[in-house]
Amino acid sequence: MPGMTNLSLPFHRLGAILLLLMACFGVAQAQTIEVPRGQSVERIDQQATYFLAPEGEHFDAADANAAFEAGRFSGAFPETKGRDQNAQSLWIGLRLKSGEAAQGQPIRRVIGLGAIFVVLPHVYLIGEDGSAQEILATRSGDGNVLAPRYFTYARTQSFTLEPGEPRTVLINVTVTDRPTLGVFREGELGHNQIVATLIKSGFALALLFIAVVTAIIAFLTKRPIGTIFAIGFGLVMLHVDASLYTTVFGGTRATGRVIWEVLTLSVIFYCFYAFLFVFRDSLRLTRYPLLAAFALALPLPLIWLAWTSDETTDILWAYYLALFLFACIVGLRFDIAPRLRAIAAGIMFACVFAALAIEPYYLGRNLPDLTIEYLRDAIRMMAGLGALFLLLVDVLRTREERDRLTAERIAALEAQTETDRRLLETEREYARARESALRRQRQLAAASHDIRQPLIGLRSALAEEADNLSLGLQGRLTDAIDYLEDLTREYSDREPGAPAAAGDEEEYSLDLVLRAVSDMFAGEAASRGIELRVASTTCRTRVPALALMRATSNLVANALRHAGADRILVGVRHREGGCVIEVLDNGCGMDAATLAEVREPGRKREGSDGDGLGLAIVHELAERHSIDFTMESAPNEGTAARLFLSTS
């Protein structure tokens, strides 16, 4: 039929033109991959070609083989934007043949696929007649049941490569899958797959260890936000490994999606409610019950959305929003030092944005599944290790601060002990001096009593001999006896051992008390960086010196150690009928309620590390010696303590 011959020529020419145009537009013919005898080929996905099936059309292995043979597969990974991410529309084409070293002998091989498969791929071996045989299985060998039982790695049944005969392999996956591929000997697991499995397991164990250690440290150091972070970090770790549970426990795609949705919603709800709990006061949730009820119910529609929708992106945005809120918890409320908290915030926000960027819907579309998974693990590792490291640094810093405060407390107690020792020694010396004075007084009283007895006799004898003595001599003898009686009467009129009256105390200068106080506290004030100024005075008093020294030293010690002041002034002001000892400081001050409390023994200002006795001692001494004691104070305005002394 000549007409047929004439018609066929233009069609052959048209086919050649189409092939030329396809080559010009970058459509690649499949590259044949040689498989050496006795060896494996670890990465053949770099030599694979890809084809995205038309959307909405039935496209099976026969159609894919026809497209492969027609050169419609491309060496570039196709653009999948706008496609259903769970649809198995992506085809990967390979052409394999045994290498020259096969020496005429057939070889048996399996194909390994590494990825995070929620939907198990279909792998077809194309026969010489164009028929497609599905070869994905759990073990090598013919006739095995096709069932997925691997987390990051699946392998096909074994197949034969005859010498010099190329075999076509077609792999059907979802548009989000970009598995790594390798050709291995029967029963062999490739080196890359072994490393991948070990790395994945190591990441999972390390992340679990980080979560547990962080929770234990936070709990033992009483850091509730740290405990909340550790639990949330553990949940996020479980969620990112969701493909493990969907592969092991999900017999169908629907079951696998339900497991993924449950884990995703668990992370969302935990992060959201943890955010509400931590910021409940800032958000006024405790003051407005209706607002709190609305906030608690806000994420509940996500359950309905997950139940009715089959699109991952419908709840994925909520997942990353929850992670952002979780990062806010760490950045704003993590119970560590503010500077460390700022570093933790930077780490957390960087990790959240990095995890979002490598999602398959964004930058991740250009990366293989396992690469995305390793990046996710690295991001989680950075977040977990960063938080744990900062927590440990803060624990060590807190311990050093506690040790420093303990050392300061010990130093203050030692200084207080030294002050008390010196006061006690002064009191003992005063008691010894008083006892000595009383003893001398008793001796003088006894001596005066003994002397007055012979004086009485002398006066009687003088009266008897008056007639025999001149008037001048009688006068001189009478004056001498009167003088001796007046001299002894001062000691004999007072009962021996009786204490002297208040008015009988010897008058002294208050400057002696002020100088003693200055000598006692000058060194401690200098070591604390506090300016202690003690003014001199010429005022004199009869109030017992020991009582004034104890009262004034307690006031100065209280201002020096507990008032938080940087300047203390001690001086004396003259007033009508007496003088006033003043102790002024520019410290934190006290309100009226606190000022009333500290008058009682054992009561002290909140946050004070004292014993609550100093001011009570001053009040007791003032009452005992009729001294008017007043205190004036106001928060953040300092305190003024005054002892009013009468000179009468």
Side-chain angles (χ1 to χ4, degrees), residues 6 46 52 71 201 218 267 306 310 358 401 451 470 505 582 612-613 616:
N6 292 335
Q46 299 170 350
L52 193 62
S201 302
V267 173
D310 198 32
I358 64 170
E401 182 69 14
I451 293 173
S470 64
E505 291 286 344
E582 292 184 325
L613 298 177

Side-chain angles (χ1 to χ4, degrees), residues 454-579:
L455 288 178
I456 294 173
L458 286 175
R459 190 178 294 279
S460 298
L462 181 61
E464 292 176 356
E465 297 293 334
D467 295 336
N468 300 323
L469 299 175
S470 64
L471 292 177
L473 180 59
Q474 290 181 24
R476 289 197 297 274
L477 290 175
T478 300
D479 291 339
I481 293 171
D482 290 341
Y483 175 75
L484 291 174
E485 285 183 343
D486 291 338
L487 188 63
T488 58
R489 188 176 292 114
E490 179 182 354
Y491 299 100
S492 60
D493 288 346
R494 185 184 302 168
E495 183 181 351
D504 293 337
E505 291 286 344
E506 183 180 356
E507 190 178 66
Y508 64 93
S509 174
L510 282 177
D511 202 46
L512 297 175
V513 175
L514 298 187
R515 286 203 301 269
V517 170
S518 177
D519 294 340
M520 188 180 301
F521 294 103
E524 182 178 352
S527 66
R528 292 176 178 267
I530 299 175
E531 179 186 359
L532 176 62
R533 296 175 56 191
V534 180
S536 60
T537 181
T538 59
C539 188
R540 302 176 69 82
T541 185
R542 293 181 182 274
V543 178
L546 180 62
L548 283 184
M549 185 176 296
R550 291 183 64 194
T552 308
S553 63
N554 271 286
L555 292 175
V556 173
N558 190 68
L560 192 65
R561 297 165 186 164
H562 310 302
D566 55 25
R567 186 171 66 254
I568 300 172
L569 174 63
V570 184
V572 177
R573 286 195 302 109
H574 293 269
R575 73 166 189 174
E576 185 178 356
C579 53

Side-chain angles (χ1 to χ4, degrees), residues 378-415:
I379 292 170
R380 287 185 296 163
M381 186 71 72
M382 182 176 70
L385 285 178
L388 179 59
F389 175 75
L390 294 176
L391 181 60
L392 290 173
V393 169
D394 191 68
V395 168
L396 295 176
R397 185 196 63 83
T398 304
R399 181 177 178 181
E400 292 176 355
E401 182 69 14
R402 185 175 64 249
D403 293 342
R404 184 185 65 80
L405 292 176
T406 302
E408 291 181 356
R409 171 73 171 169
I410 293 173
L413 290 175
E414 290 176 348

